[in-house]
């Protein structure tokens, strides 16, 4: 990599669609003007959008340049290119020493918006924090071990990410994970309620279809439930859908956006291929093959790792994308959209994954248009997933109602 420039990845939205889509894009920085940021490798001072890059097209480049120009005018009226990126948010990762937690922590450490990165686990987190603390990015890394230090980890957190729990193993369904992970999520969310009730809470621990309702019930019993700030992270389903469709149709990955609705397990994962951007046609066979592959992609990785783990790296990437979107929303970006499993009134189910608009206060809006004009196949699949998703939600709610929550 040349000494005068380095690359990083940002997520931004195209202004050309009625529903903007989040796209991770390569941006090349060079130290010429007054932009002060961090790429994860060194401090840089300006941004230059390269329109011929394979990661970013002309339309996207124009959008990004315009976004930077707008922020530059607000941040530094005296300089045409001035832009101050202020690291001002605290992120806590609960389960930071695990297979998802470690790569996730590294990716979040690279964010220029994070000032403090608190890492918690029941063991082995001190070394992870020491390792990450050597990276020359703005955030200070602190480690917290065991229940006695959990409260200190959470105090003042703006975003709490929970990947804690046991991973899937060959032959294990998401339901098999329930009893272990349900107790873990319940105890961690209790601590969140006590120490940072206003934080965005990102639930990764599986089964998400049940652990999000568990978290909601705990927060309700604690008297601090805000449905706009509780998220089941289903971003990996979108990442996989975009990747598989781009490969199948030989499209530029940066241009592809496939909304994924429903839940985050098996048949409850419903990619809306008819809503793919850019518009592309699929045969009935392709629709079924892609849908099944997206639904079973987690199992594909579990089997490929042959007992050595589950989808940790891609999950960390997807979770980091959702964290970055949340931080941008907290920072005032008014154009942030992601899919997430949240409390919803779009169907007759109390929780449902769909595209949402994120803002400073969490969920600003649910986006109903994706559910309008579904294909016949998608309509049937939507009805088919509801009983299983409903049962998973009710299982999570019942689990908390049978357990005493610490006052």
């Amino acid at each position: 990599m040349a000494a005068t420039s380095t690359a990083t990845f940002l997520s931004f939205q195209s202004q050309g669609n009625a529903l903007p889509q989040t796209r991770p894009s390569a941006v090349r920085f060079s130290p010429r003007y007054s932009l002060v940021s961090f790429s994860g490798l060194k401090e840089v001072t300006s941004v230059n959008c390269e329109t011929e890059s394979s990661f970013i097209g002309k339309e996207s480049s124009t959008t990004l340049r315009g976004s930077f120009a707008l922020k530059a005018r607000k941040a530094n009226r005296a300089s045409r290119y001035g832009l101050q990126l202020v690291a001002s948010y605290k992120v806590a990762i609960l389960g930071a020493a695990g297979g998802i937690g470690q790569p996730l922590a590294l990716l979040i450490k690279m964010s220029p918006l994070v000032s403090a990165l608190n890492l918690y686990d029941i063991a082995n987190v001190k070394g992870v924090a020491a390792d990450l603390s050597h990276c020359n990015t703005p955030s200070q890394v602190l480690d917290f071990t065991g229940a006695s230090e959990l409260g200190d980890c959470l105090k003042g957190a703006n975003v709490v990410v929970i990947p804690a729990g046991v991973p899937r193993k060959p032959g294990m369904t998401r339901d098999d994970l329930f009893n272990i992970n349900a107790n873990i999520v319940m105890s961690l969310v209790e601590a969140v309620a006590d120490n940072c009730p206003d934080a965005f809470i990102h639930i990764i621990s599986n089964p998400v279809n049940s652990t999000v309702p568990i978290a909601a019930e705990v927060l309700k019993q604690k008297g601090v439930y805000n449905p706009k700030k509780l998220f089941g992270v289903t971003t990996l389903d979108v990442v996989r859908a975009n990747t598989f469709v781009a490969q199948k149709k030989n499209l530029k990955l940066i241009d592809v956006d496939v909304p994924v609705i429903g839940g985050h397990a098996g048949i409850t994962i419903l990619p809306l291929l008819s809503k793919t951007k850019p518009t592309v046609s699929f045969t009935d066979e392709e629709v079924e093959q892609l849908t099944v592959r997206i639904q079973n992609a987690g199992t594909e990785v579990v089997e490929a790792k042959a007992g050595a783990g589950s989808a940790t790296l891609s999950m960390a990437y997807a979770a980091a994308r959702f964290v970055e979107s949340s931080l941008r929303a907290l920072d005032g970006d008014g154009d942030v959209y992601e899919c997430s499993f949240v409390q919803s009134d779009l169907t007759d189910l109390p929780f449902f994954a769909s595209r949402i608009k994120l803002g400073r206060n969490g969920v600003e809006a649910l986006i109903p248009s994706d559910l309008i004009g579904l294909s016949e196949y998608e309509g049937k699949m939507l009805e088919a997933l509801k009983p299983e998703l409903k049962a998973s939600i009710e299982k999570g709610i019942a689990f908390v109602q049978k357990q005493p929550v610490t006052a």
Side-chain angles (χ1 to χ4, degrees):
M1 190 174 291
T4 57
S5 65
T6 186
T8 189
F9 290 87
L10 303 178
S11 294
F12 67 96
Q13 278 80 30
S14 166
Q15 301 293 333
N17 298 327
L19 290 177
Q21 58 199 39
T22 301
R23 299 174 177 177
S25 303
V27 180
R28 192 162 296 281
F29 291 92
S30 55
R32 291 184 293 171
Y33 301 109
S34 58
L35 171 66
V36 178
S37 182
F38 287 81
S39 68
L41 295 177
K42 65 189 182 77
E43 186 176 10
V44 292
T45 54
S46 74
V47 62
N48 176 40
C49 301
E50 297 183 346
T51 58
E52 300 305 316
S53 166
S54 61
F55 293 102
I56 186 167
K58 291 182 179 180
E59 178 185 351
S60 298
S61 175
T62 301
T63 299
L64 183 58
R65 190 178 289 114
S67 173
F68 272 105
L70 176 61
K71 291 182 179 180
R73 286 194 295 272
K74 291 179 179 178
N76 188 348
R77 303 278 183 184
S79 172
R80 181 180 178 185
Y81 296 98
L83 174 59
Q84 300 296 318
L85 294 179
V86 180
S88 56
Y89 297 100
K90 179 182 287 188
V91 176
I93 302 176
L94 310 185
I100 296 170
Q102 290 196 43
L104 175 58
L106 172 60
L107 292 170
I108 294 175
K109 181 72 171 79
M110 296 172 68
S111 172
L113 290 170
V114 178
S115 59
L117 180 57
N118 287 1
L119 307 182
Y120 170 83
D121 217 314
I122 57 173
N124 304 321
V125 73
K126 189 174 291 293
V128 177
D131 197 356
L132 280 180
S133 69
H134 295 177
C135 299
N136 64 325
T137 58
S139 55
Q140 179 185 19
V141 182
L142 297 175
D143 63 277
F144 302 85
T145 302
S148 63
E149 298 184 3
L150 179 55
D152 289 337
C153 173
L154 292 168
K155 283 183 173 62
N158 301 106
V159 177
V160 178
V161 191
I162 305 180
V166 298
R168 292 176 67 196
K169 296 177 182 178
M172 182 184 286
T173 67
R174 293 183 190 272
D175 237 21
D176 294 331
L177 300 175
F178 180 81
N179 285 329
I180 298 173
N181 287 355
N183 278 296
I184 292 172
V185 170
M186 183 173 171
S187 63
L188 293 176
V189 174
E190 285 183 24
V192 173
D194 291 337
N195 294 280
C196 55
D198 292 328
F200 283 21
I201 306 172
H202 295 185
I203 304 292
I204 297 173
S205 308
N206 279 316
V208 167
N209 292 353
S210 297
T211 53
V212 171
I214 285 171
E217 289 301 304
V218 170
L219 295 167
K220 286 177 185 177
Q221 292 189 23
K222 288 282 192 176
V224 294
Y225 178 50
N226 183 346
K228 294 182 178 182
K229 294 187 176 183
L230 177 62
F231 308 91
V233 180
T234 62
T235 317
L236 181 53
D237 299 325
V238 177
V239 166
R240 286 167 167 162
N242 292 349
T243 300
F244 300 162
V245 167
Q247 291 171 344
K248 187 76 172 179
K249 292 298 183 178
N250 196 28
L251 299 171
K252 286 185 178 180
L253 187 55
I254 190 62
D255 293 330
V256 178
D257 182 50
V258 183
V260 182
I261 65 170
H264 185 56
I267 67 164
T268 70
I269 300 169
L270 179 54
L272 299 181
L273 297 172
S274 70
K275 306 288 185 176
T276 298
K277 303 292 183 183
T279 302
V280 61
S281 61
F282 300 94
T283 66
D284 291 346
E285 184 179 14
E286 286 175 331
V287 168
E288 184 170 358
Q289 288 177 345
L290 281 167
T291 299
V292 170
R293 187 183 179 198
I294 293 162
Q295 290 174 338
N296 295 326
T299 301
E300 181 179 314
V301 175
V302 169
E303 292 176 350
K305 289 190 174 183
S310 58
T312 53
L313 300 177
S314 54
M315 183 65 248
Y317 166 80
R321 165 175 153 170
F322 195 76
V323 168
E324 192 71 12
S325 291
S326 295
L327 294 173
R328 287 171 44 227
L330 284 166
D331 202 46
D333 190 333
D335 198 24
V336 183
Y337 293 79
E338 289 282 2
C339 288
S340 182
F341 185 64
V342 297
Q343 181 174 310
S344 174
D345 59 4
L346 294 183
T347 69
D348 54 353
L349 298 171
F351 294 89
F352 193 78
S354 69
R355 199 191 303 264
I356 60 173
K357 181 178 182 180
L358 286 165
R360 280 196 168 108
N361 296 313
V363 179
E364 280 196 355
L366 306 173
I367 308 301
S369 56
D370 287 336
L371 276 69
I372 299 172
L374 298 179
S375 69
E376 181 180 357
Y377 176 83
E378 290 164 351
K380 289 180 178 177
M381 293 295 286
L382 176 58
E383 292 308 310
L385 72 81
K386 287 182 178 180
E388 181 170 324
L389 183 53
K390 182 174 184 287
S392 296
I393 293 169
E394 291 176 346
K395 186 174 184 178
I397 294 172
F399 177 83
V400 179
Q401 292 178 346
K402 292 176 184 176
Q403 308 280 334
V405 171
T406 305

